[in-house]
Amino acid sequence: MDPPLVNDSSFSPANPSSYTLSEIWPFPVNDAVRSGLRLAVNSTPSDKDVSTAAAAAAAAEESTVTDLTAGWGGRKARALNSEENESSKMVSLSSSGNEVKDSGERKRKLCGSESRNGDGSMKPEGETSSGGGSKATEQKNKPEPPKDYIHVRARRGQATDRHSLAERARREKISEKMTALQDIIPGCNKIIGKALVLDEIINYIQSLQRQVEFLSMKLEVVNSGPSTGPTIGVFPTGDLGTLPIDLHRNIYEQQEANEPRGSHPEWLHMQVDGSFNRTT
Amino acid sequence: MERQIINKKKRVFSVEPNKIPPSEVFTRKYTSHLVPALKKLNMNKNSSQVNQLTVKHEVDMALALSAQEFAWSRFLLQKLSSSNNPTTATSSSSNGIRIQERSGKEGGGDEDGEIEEKLRELQKLLPGGEEMNVEEMLSEIGTYIKCLELQTIALKSMVQDTT
């Protein structure tokens, strides 16, 4: 709705050349909470969210909300979008932080805009207006002029300097990604706490890697010809029986022509994923 | 015959890139890289001392080649092409030891420090993870896990088929 803001229309609807995370991971695309993931891969935004980390442009008008951080942000995004017309204030995009406006949120202080050029003059206003803050938030209908700095709303009792805000935004991004990972790793849903979840993830990856190693060892033994392992003794001629094992393999390979090998991949594909098509 | 099959499969990909689910695509690519590579290994092999490592090398190579849209696959390719096989084999086994040492030290550390430690551990697991920053790494880890899972499925079925 607002031209300077990057919104749906400015994105191409699909990335045919790359696979997006959202396709591989079966997350609902419309979920505002997951938008952080989509940000990382720059996939198609839903109609509610704008997903870009690069456009630090104008303040969002009531129609679009950027949800760079999940958690409380997600809820507010949905609540906001449902009350588009009363726009209590909205947020501008930024690469390091964002706000979501919810008129119902009384704890939120209106800290105004903390500009990139270091103007902290809005701070005292925000801190003192706890009672008036809620009113101000509800009433604040005026569109914010498009500037290219961060509009951030501080939570009650939290510092509003740039550093802590940036750090908070970063932390929120990280925790959002961790929740996304939790959904992938089996059994991680019930675990609370970053450290434990990270432990699980580490263990899972290690076990996957070990499995791959083990399977590749097995593959090496098994795949070197149909005559390895327990069947080694079954050679047809006495000559072969005296040769070292690797030569046996070679000989058998040559003797077999390509026929059994040729059917191998088809088999494989049928087993690996039932929906493969046999394209012979 | 096999080559024809593989070529036909490649053609299928380019016709409808959007409609094939990525997990299938990955698996197909993976097997189509790995199987001929293994065949070639078998044909060429006259000396057996690098059997295991070479297969692992091919396995990793197939993984990297089948997942080229992700950052970690680039790093993996680099590692594979520049280093020799023994490096990859030893690094994966030393990770386990390192974790145990770490957890022994961490008894009295503060929480954030522990979490940092674990994130660093995670970075070591991911190929190229140490060169990325944390957020990027976390997104890449998700895709790496998925590809690892698909890889294990593919390898399992390969092993089963041939036994």
Side-chain angles (χ1 to χ4, degrees):
Chain A
M1 155 157 184
D2 195 25
L5 186 64
V6 179
N7 55 17
D8 287 345
S9 55
S10 61
F11 280 107
S12 60
N15 289 335
S17 58
S18 68
Y19 305 117
T20 58
L21 268 184
S22 57
E23 287 173 11
I24 297 186
W25 297 359
F27 292 149
V29 176
N30 285 331
D31 190 356
V33 174
R34 310 283 182 213
S35 63
L37 266 187
R38 291 184 281 119
L39 270 177
V41 192
N42 200 21
S43 64
T44 66
S46 68
D47 56 358
K48 289 182 186 173
D49 302 343
V50 176
S51 69
T52 174
E61 294 304 318
E62 53 268 30
S63 55
T64 54
V65 172
T66 303
D67 182 10
L68 277 176
T69 65
W72 52 268
R75 270 183 300 123
K76 303 309 175 287
R78 276 181 240 127
L80 171 69
N81 287 325
S82 59
E83 354 163 316
E84 284 176 359
N85 296 331
E86 340 169 83
S87 86
S88 309
K89 234 14 222 171
M90 263 357 299
V91 189
S92 67
L93 272 180
S94 76
S95 54
S96 69
N98 66 343
E99 258 16 41
V100 177
K101 177 46 188 179
D102 186 4
S103 59
E105 179 65 27
R106 307 186 109 249
K107 284 194 192 157
R108 216 55 66 68
K109 282 190 302 190
L110 182 58
C111 122
S113 55
E114 172 171 83
S115 60
R116 269 224 160 111
N117 39 21
D119 181 13
S121 62
M122 296 296 281
K123 246 193 288 185
E125 283 186 11
E127 287 166 13
T128 55
S129 69
S130 54
S134 46
K135 208 180 2 164
T137 58
E138 279 163 4
Q139 279 181 6
K140 194 170 165 214
N141 267 342
K142 62 168 171 56
E144 291 185 356
K147 301 176 199 147
D148 55 351
Y149 49 77
I150 315 170
H151 294 260
V152 172
R153 185 144 307 120
R155 281 184 247 191
R156 186 185 190 122
Q158 292 199 355
T160 57
D161 10 300
R162 197 181 316 156
H163 297 295
S164 42
L165 281 172
E167 199 182 307
R168 200 180 343 133
R170 178 182 157 267
R171 259 184 275 138
E172 282 167 355
K173 264 204 259 180
I174 289 185
S175 60
E176 167 194 323
K177 295 207 172 122
M178 302 235 338
T179 42
L181 281 179
Q182 264 186 303
D183 291 332
I184 286 197
I185 318 264
C188 247
N189 295 334
K190 327 247 163 79
I191 302 186
I192 308 200
K194 269 209 242 177
L196 296 174
V197 169
L198 280 175
D199 269 340
E200 278 300 315
I201 295 181
I202 291 177
N203 287 336
Y204 188 62
I205 294 186
Q206 280 182 323
S207 76
L208 277 181
Q209 283 177 338
R210 264 178 268 151
Q211 257 188 326
V212 166
E213 240 181 271
F214 173 72
L215 282 174
S216 69
M217 285 193 325
K218 245 180 136 183
L219 194 61
E220 179 264 325
V221 168
V222 161
N223 198 31
S224 51
S227 64
T228 57
T231 63
I232 273 192
V234 192
F235 288 116
T237 62
D239 292 342
L240 285 185
T242 55
L243 291 173
I245 291 182
D246 37 358
L247 283 185
H248 286 165
R249 272 187 245 129
N250 280 342
I251 291 172
Y252 259 56
E253 280 295 320
Q254 291 162 16
Q255 282 178 355
E256 275 168 8
N258 273 338
E259 188 194 346
R261 284 283 173 204
S263 58
H264 203 215
E266 295 172 47
W267 249 358
L268 252 165
H269 291 125
M270 302 253 298
Q271 276 213 339
V272 168
D273 186 343
S275 58
F276 280 168
N277 298 322
R278 293 190 64 163
T279 59
T280 46
Chain B
M1 171 72 169
E2 191 181 58
R3 189 145 288 283
Q4 283 173 18
I5 294 173
I6 291 177
N7 287 340
K8 279 185 188 169
K9 287 206 162 77
K10 283 187 184 152
R11 236 192 312 128
V12 168
F13 291 155
S14 53
V15 164
E16 301 181 318
N18 281 337
K19 302 196 185 152
I20 306 180
S23 56
E24 228 185 270
V25 169
F26 171 85
T27 328
R28 274 197 232 189
K29 273 196 206 170
Y30 183 80
T31 46
S32 68
H33 282 302
L34 189 54
V35 172
L38 286 176
K39 255 197 85 176
K40 201 167 47 148
L41 271 184
N42 286 330
M43 293 297 190
N44 293 341
K45 213 175 325 172
N46 279 325
S47 61
S48 60
Q49 87 277 32
V50 288
N51 270 358
Q52 180 177 341
L53 298 180
T54 322
V55 167
K56 179 86 169 62
H57 179 92
E58 289 301 327
V59 160
D60 289 339
M61 182 69 83
L63 175 64
L65 289 176
S66 334
Q68 281 181 336
E69 50 268 1
F70 301 124
W72 51 262
S73 83
R74 287 200 304 271
F75 286 106
L76 190 56
L77 271 178
Q78 276 175 17
K79 231 194 292 185
L80 286 177
S81 50
S82 62
S83 73
N84 293 324
N85 300 329
T87 329
T88 50
T90 53
S91 64
S92 55
S93 53
S94 62
N95 268 345
I97 302 177
R98 212 167 299 145
I99 279 197
Q100 286 159 16
E101 285 179 8
R102 281 258 155 73
S103 54
K105 261 191 266 184
E106 277 303 328
D110 70 312
E111 264 195 31
D112 275 346
E114 283 185 16
I115 292 186
E116 295 273 334
E117 284 293 324
K118 299 199 166 111
L119 282 174
R120 254 171 280 158
E121 224 24 81
L122 210 47
Q123 272 180 320
K124 293 203 182 85
L125 285 179
L126 185 70
E130 290 164 0
E131 281 101 31
M132 306 180 200
N133 60 2
V134 177
E135 305 169 3
E136 212 185 320
M137 194 246 332
L138 284 177
S139 354
E140 294 287 325
I141 281 259
T143 63
Y144 182 64
I145 290 180
K146 268 303 174 186
C147 290
L148 273 184
E149 283 175 8
L150 292 173
Q151 183 185 34
T152 42
I153 294 178
L155 284 175
K156 259 190 224 168
S157 46
M158 270 195 237
V159 169
Q160 271 173 5
D161 279 349
T162 49
T163 44

